[in-house]
Amino acid sequence: GAQQSATVANPASGASPDLLPHFQLEPEDVYIVKNKAVSLACRATPATQIYFKCNGEWVHQGDHVTQHSTDRSTGLPVMEVRIEVTRQQVEKIFGLEEYWCQCVAWSSSGTTKSQKAFVRIAYLRKNFEQEPTAREVSIEQGIVLPCRPPEGIPPAEVEWLRNEELVDPALDANVYVTPEHSLVLRQARLADTANYTCVAKNIVARRRSASAAITVYVNGGWSTWTQWSGCSTSCGRGWQKRSRTCTNPTPLNGGAFCEGQNVQKTACTTLCPVDGAWSEWSKWSECGAECTHWRSRECSEPAPRNGGRDCHGPELDTRNCTSELCTHAAPGAEDVALYVGLVAVAVCLVLLLLVGVLVYCRKKGGLDADVADSSILTAGFQPVSIKPSKADNPSLLTIQPDLSTTTMTYQGSLCPRQDGPAKLQLPNGHLLSPLGAGRHTLHHSSPAAEGADFVARLSTQSYFRSLPRGTNNMAYGTFNFLGGRLMIPNTGISLLIPPDAIPRGKIYEVYLTLHKQEEVRLPLAGCQTLLSPIVSCGPPGVLLTRPAILAMGHCVEASAENWSIRLKKQSCEGTWEDVLQLGAEPCTELYYCQLEAQACYVFTEQLGRFALVGESLSMAASKRRKLVLFAPAACPSLEYNIRVYCLSDTQDVLKEVIQLEKQLGGQLIGAPRVLHFKDSYHNLRLSIHDMPSSLWKSKLLASYQEIPFYHIWSGLQPFLHCTFTLERLSTSTCELACKIWVWQVEGDGQSFTVNFNIAKDTRFSDWLVPDEVGTPALVGPSAFKIPFLIRQKIISSLDPPGTRGADWRTLAQKLNLDSHLSFFASKASPTAMILNLWEARHFPNGNLSQLAAAVAEIGKQDGALFSEAEC
């Protein structure tokens, strides 16, 4: 209607002269839908008049609908006014400014203005600014479906439909909707294969995007090979075969079928059985005193072999005969004398045997303990040192004893045998005490037979149920008081059993095992993360008199202010317990842990299952991850896959990935990189760039792939990977040049520059090939770099407090171990603990000369020790 200035009338006589009007109801923002007018209202008390003012102009008095009443609680007059606003009124000024209206109320004391109410025309456009697109993704890959709704007032709300059913993130933890309205599936599942629709709606309309078909496919994987079948022939040449199936997993939804053969054949030869046959009978023997003679034959023409049947019939034939020798006489006096002589000889032999045993035992027990003088400390740990003998002490050795008599490189098993008369006595060297009263045999067999025999013995124990069934990640051996070492090759995991850790007279079969994550369930509370492999050593309950040292890698960038690190051990009941907090005073003397840059050394007097677990104290905490790229060694098709692994930076995980890629036929492209993954709750993103578009194209629909933060941070999935599927436009293309970027969202990034010949490039193929050389089990002195006599002399010299501080504390300081003095001091021999740790850290490539120099320098500080060395 027409707008004009309102005439203000005199206030009503009943109004309170002292009160300004206040609003009980103020106009609110409204939207005009299509052509429907909207109503604005306000109510005030005490008020004599109320008028609306829209966009700075008074609304005509005739357009107001007024209603009067009285407030029952105060008795003051109440006035309520309403107006209607049409679409034409709003469009009249559309584009210049927003249309607004405001109430003004009068009383005898003055005027009061209400808040402004904006009137807007609601709409929702038809076309989406961005719609989701169809995709094919592999299982467990992340999916991002973008959606930008049409422009509208009020802004449209967005919801997602999966096969026309509403997607509710509150009911599915694998799904969430970003503030930009994109639908994110953290890990694609087979059930996520569906049509997805983005729906935008406001008070005007409801719009639907085009449906995007998401197909989650599973690439096939080979099962393990079956055992080789028996040879096809029982005699002569034949063949045997083994097979595997593409069922681990089975390809689904268009996933790639397994590449390679599903059947392998190999030639075999079976030796033909030969049945035995008798030779000719021998001539008859002379007729004996018993009036019989005999003849014999042998099953040797031919002898049975290769499973052939043995000869049937007797080997010996006897019959009666007569001659001048065939007589029967009663035993006379000469026979009695013969029997008495034989008995006397037997008694003499028994007495001589007893005397020999006593003399032998007396000699063994009387070994001279003083076999080296004090100057051996400064002799540089040479394997052989020739010194002139001392005239006043002829019992001292002039040449260092040969340790080979007690060195055993473990190839069989050293087991107590109580059954059977034949026993081989273990040799006893002149440096080491004998094994005790028990006698033990050393028997040999093939490594495969030893592994099977050891696992067979373990299977009778209750704890065997939690051990892996293979021997690839297991080392085992039989140890006594000499000590020794177990190592799992190419994993950085070892167990050092120091001398005298096993009581004398005891022999233990000890194993060391690396567990895969799926074999052992390690519960992690809160923000805890696994920092090391899970390692078992046992059997449980073994009595050790000195701590063994378990060495294993870790992936933590440790600092006291960023991490709280704990050593966990699994109890006999199967629960995991914190046995040690690193950096704090140990609550027990059974365990201690030396944490270094990439490895930790666990001192333990109780064998069992261990793992290192950490909890970050700030977002600056980080873990080391290793990024490794693999690709097929051969590319017969146009499609080419690059697999980018994100591994825990420990040797055992790298070993497992190498074994996996060998089975897949992959080869390394590019040198591995180390990524410092921070506790920032941000995912890891990977993208590929700078490919020549005339030769290659990427088959990925998204601009990047993403690995969720918690999958990496928990440590329970030691190696994760993304696959970049590329396609070359011609089979003649053999060169691949591109960059792969890897970065943590809102963090630092790294790039791999890849220049690779997919047909013949092997520049990096041998980068990870070198294996550790050595035997998984070493028994006795061969397991240690420090010779036994020198070790004993160092211990006896440095354990007692020395003058000028020349004792074990100085040795710890020189070896940078002075932060662990309280632990060393709690042991009966602190020097032995320091040397044990040196052995664990430096085997097999430690610099023995540096240790010798450190010990020699300590000897020079102690005047008494130095003068003794000079004598």
Side-chain angles (χ1 to χ4, degrees):
Q3 307 233 352
Q4 65 180 23
S5 297
T7 302
V8 180
N10 293 327
S13 60
S16 172
D18 299 326
L19 296 177
L20 285 173
H22 72 274
F23 286 94
Q24 296 178 338
L25 175 66
E26 295 185 73
E28 297 181 348
D29 295 346
V30 292
Y31 295 94
I32 295 177
V33 179
K34 297 183 179 179
N35 293 319
K36 295 181 181 179
V38 295
S39 177
L40 300 177
C42 61
R43 183 171 61 247
T45 182
T48 56
Q49 289 184 8
I50 300 177
Y51 285 97
F52 271 94
K53 197 176 190 179
C54 293
N55 279 63
E57 297 184 4
W58 294 102
V59 178
H60 194 279
Q61 185 175 3
D63 295 330
H64 291 71
V65 178
T66 305
Q67 181 178 354
H68 296 276
S69 62
T70 302
D71 191 329
R72 294 182 180 179
S73 60
T74 62
L76 296 176
V78 178
M79 178 178 290
E80 183 174 340
V81 176
R82 293 180 181 272
I83 64 170
E84 286 192 348
V85 180
T86 64
R87 185 185 183 108
Q88 291 77 9
Q89 291 175 266
V90 176
E91 289 180 339
K92 184 177 180 180
I93 63 165
F94 184 75
L96 300 177
E97 57 180 326
E98 289 188 304
Y99 191 93
W100 58 269
C101 293
Q102 184 182 36
C103 281
V104 182
W106 282 265
S107 72
S108 59
S109 299
T111 62
T112 304
K113 295 181 180 179
S114 71
Q115 66 182 11
K116 289 182 179 180
F118 291 90
V119 181
R120 300 179 177 90
I121 298 175
Y123 68 93
L124 182 64
R125 304 205 184 281
K126 292 184 179 181
N127 297 326
F128 281 74
E129 294 185 9
Q130 186 178 12
E131 294 184 285
T133 56
R135 292 184 59 186
E136 294 182 356
V137 297
S138 63
I139 194 166
E140 295 186 353
Q141 182 180 337
I143 306 175
V144 180
L145 294 176
C147 176
R148 293 174 60 190
E151 179 187 353
I153 295 180
E157 297 178 355
V158 172
E159 61 185 18
W160 284 87
L161 302 179
R162 177 195 285 137
N163 288 342
E164 302 303 320
E165 294 185 1
L166 181 64
V167 176
D168 188 356
L171 302 179
D172 189 349
N174 192 48
V175 177
Y176 71 91
V177 179
T178 67
E180 295 79 21
H181 309 301
S182 296
L183 180 67
V184 177
L185 304 179
R186 291 183 173 89
Q187 279 188 300
R189 304 161 298 189
L190 290 176
D192 294 325
T193 298
N195 292 322
Y196 290 83
T197 308
C198 181
V199 178
K201 61 181 179 179
N202 66 3
I203 59 176
V204 177
R206 175 186 174 98
R207 311 290 188 203
R208 291 167 55 98
S209 71
S211 294
I214 298 298
T215 302
V216 180
Y217 63 86
V218 178
N219 290 326
W222 288 114
S223 65
T224 57
W225 288 102
T226 61
Q227 296 294 327
W228 287 103
S229 65
C231 200
S232 59
T233 61
S234 58
C235 178
R237 288 183 58 83
W239 56 268
Q240 56 185 159
K241 68 176 181 178
R242 63 177 183 174
S243 61
R244 58 180 178 175
T245 58
C246 190
T247 56
N248 187 30
T250 303
L252 294 173
N253 295 337
F257 196 78
C258 304
E259 295 182 0
Q261 299 177 342
N262 64 338
V263 176
Q264 284 185 344
K265 290 186 178 181
T266 185
C268 58
T269 301
T270 305
L271 297 177
C272 299
V274 177
D275 295 337
W278 292 112
S279 64
E280 294 293 331
W281 286 103
S282 65
K283 294 182 179 180
W284 288 102
S285 66
E286 297 294 334
C287 191
E290 294 83 5
C291 299
T292 60
H293 62 169
W294 54 270
R295 64 177 181 174
S296 64
R297 59 181 178 175
E298 295 179 351
C299 188
S300 59
E301 294 186 2
R305 61 179 182 270
N306 304 330
R309 290 174 299 188
D310 206 350
C311 301
H312 293 283
E315 290 182 306
L316 192 66
D317 183 20
T318 61
R319 68 182 182 183
N320 294 330
C321 62
T322 57
S323 73
E324 66 278 3
L325 297 177
C326 181
T327 58
H328 299 280
E334 294 180 358
D335 295 334
V336 173
L338 176 62
Y339 296 148
V340 171
L342 291 175
V343 171
V345 170
V347 171
C348 291
L349 289 176
V350 171
L351 291 175
L352 288 174
L353 180 61
L354 290 176
V355 171
V357 170
L358 290 175
V359 171
Y360 176 73
C361 293
R362 182 180 297 268
K363 286 184 177 181
K364 289 192 65 178
L367 289 177
D368 186 3
D370 186 13
V371 292
D373 59 21
S374 61
S375 64
I376 202 166
L377 275 176
T378 58
F381 299 82
Q382 299 300 321
V384 176
S385 61
I386 301 177
K387 301 170 57 179
S389 60
K390 298 182 181 181
D392 56 345
N393 193 355
S395 63
L396 289 180
L397 295 182
T398 59
I399 299 179
Q400 182 176 335
D402 181 10
L403 300 181
S404 62
T405 55
T406 54
T407 300
M408 294 175 289
T409 300
Y410 185 81
Q411 305 243 341
S413 65
L414 185 61
C415 309
R417 293 275 183 95
Q418 303 299 334
D419 52 346
K423 297 184 179 180
L424 174 64
Q425 182 72 28
L426 278 177
N428 292 294
H430 37 280
L431 301 183
L432 306 173
S433 300
L435 290 177
R439 300 175 67 193
H440 307 84
T441 61
L442 182 65
H443 60 89
H444 300 273
S445 61
S446 66
E450 280 298 325
D453 180 58
F454 184 78
V455 173
R457 289 195 300 276
L458 282 181
S459 64
T460 62
Q461 308 297 325
S462 59
Y463 55 81
F464 178 74
R465 293 190 300 270
S466 61
L467 293 179
R469 295 299 182 264
T471 57
N472 290 335
N473 288 327
M474 174 183 285
Y476 57 90
T478 305
F479 300 91
N480 57 14
F481 75 96
L482 300 176
R485 182 187 305 266
L486 290 176
M487 296 176 291
I488 302 178
N490 304 310
T491 63
I493 297 171
S494 65
L495 178 68
L496 178 76
I497 304 174
D500 291 324
I502 297 176
R504 292 178 181 253
K506 299 286 186 180
I507 291 183
Y508 295 146
E509 281 189 327
V510 181
Y511 63 83
L512 178 65
T513 297
L514 167 65
H515 293 275
K516 294 184 178 179
Q517 303 296 344
E518 61 269 17
E519 296 172 347
V520 178
R521 183 178 180 272
L522 174 61
L524 297 177
C527 299
Q528 289 182 339
T529 174
L530 182 63
L531 303 177
S532 73
I534 301 175
V535 180
S536 288
C537 53
V542 164
L543 175 64
L544 297 178
T545 58
R546 296 183 181 179
I549 301 179
L550 175 65
M552 55 186 177
H554 66 78
C555 62
V556 61
E557 293 291 336
S559 57
E561 66 275 9
N562 293 335
W563 283 97
S564 172
I565 302 175
R566 290 176 169 84
L567 178 67
K568 283 184 175 286
K569 181 175 183 289
Q570 192 173 31
S571 66
C572 297
E573 292 77 17
T575 58
W576 286 88
E577 301 171 348
D578 294 340
V579 295
L580 181 67
Q581 181 173 355
L582 275 64
E585 286 296 326
C587 57
T588 174
E589 295 184 357
L590 295 177
Y591 308 99
Y592 191 77
C593 185
Q594 156 80 358
L595 187 68
E596 298 191 353
Q598 296 192 353
C600 64
Y601 300 92
V602 178
F603 291 77
T604 176
E605 295 183 17
Q606 293 184 354
L607 302 185
R609 184 167 297 158
F610 295 92
L612 207 62
V613 171
E615 185 170 357
S616 64
L617 303 179
S618 73
M619 295 180 67
S622 64
K623 295 174 63 177
R624 292 191 318 276
R625 305 289 296 189
K626 181 159 287 186
L627 300 171
V628 189
L629 276 65
F630 283 92
C635 183
S637 63
L638 294 176
E639 190 175 278
Y640 194 68
N641 294 323
I642 298 178
R643 292 180 288 276
V644 184
Y645 288 87
C646 181
L647 316 176
S648 293
D649 189 15
T650 55
Q651 293 184 40
D652 59 292
V653 178
L654 190 58
K655 172 185 175 182
E656 191 170 351
V657 171
I658 294 171
Q659 293 174 346
L660 174 63
E661 280 295 330
K662 284 182 179 178
Q663 296 176 2
L664 297 176
Q667 63 180 338
L668 182 72
I669 58 173
R673 308 282 181 88
V674 174
L675 172 73
H676 298 279
F677 191 78
K678 294 184 178 180
D679 185 17
S680 62
Y681 300 98
H682 293 303
N683 298 341
L684 189 70
R685 289 184 177 177
L686 303 96
S687 59
I688 189 166
H689 306 275
D690 299 346
M691 282 189 306
S693 58
S694 59
L695 301 176
W696 294 86
K697 70 175 182 179
S698 173
K699 297 187 69 175
L700 297 178
L701 299 178
S703 59
Y704 61 85
Q705 299 189 65
E706 209 166 47
I707 302 178
F709 168 81
Y710 288 105
H711 290 186
I712 299 177
W713 189 256
S714 69
L716 296 178
Q717 301 183 45
F719 56 94
L720 301 158
H721 78 279
C722 288
T723 300
F724 290 96
T725 303
L726 312 178
E727 185 177 0
R728 49 181 177 166
L729 303 183
S730 170
T731 55
S732 62
T733 301
C734 293
E735 293 291 336
L736 171 61
C738 63
K739 282 188 178 180
I740 295 180
W741 275 95
V742 182
W743 76 100
Q744 194 174 2
V745 181
E746 297 185 11
D748 298 331
Q750 294 191 27
S751 69
F752 287 78
T753 300
V754 178
N755 292 295
F756 198 71
N757 188 311
I758 66 175
K760 59 183 178 181
D761 203 329
T762 59
R763 285 176 294 162
F764 304 99
S765 60
D766 295 331
W767 191 89
L768 299 174
V769 170
D771 291 335
E772 289 181 358
V773 178
T775 308
L778 297 174
V779 178
S782 64
F784 306 98
K785 289 189 67 66
I786 306 174
F788 185 82
L789 277 180
I790 296 178
R791 171 190 171 90
Q792 295 302 105
K793 192 62 179 180
I794 296 175
I795 292 173
S796 62
S797 300
L798 298 185
D799 269 351
T803 60
R804 304 185 183 92
D807 56 16
W808 63 269
R809 295 174 179 82
T810 308
L811 179 62
Q813 183 179 8
K814 290 184 177 296
L815 298 180
N816 298 320
L817 299 174
D818 46 338
S819 60
H820 310 287
L821 294 181
S822 58
F823 167 71
F824 297 143
S826 67
K827 299 302 178 183
S829 175
T831 311
M833 295 298 102
I834 296 173
L835 297 181
N836 293 343
L837 181 55
W838 188 91
E839 290 279 11
R841 295 167 69 192
H842 295 90
F843 189 88
N845 301 317
N847 192 330
L848 204 57
S849 298
Q850 291 182 354
L851 178 62
V855 175
E857 188 175 347
I858 298 172
K860 293 178 182 179
Q861 295 178 13
D862 190 335
L865 181 63
F866 181 72
S867 61
E868 181 183 353
E870 290 295 325
C871 294

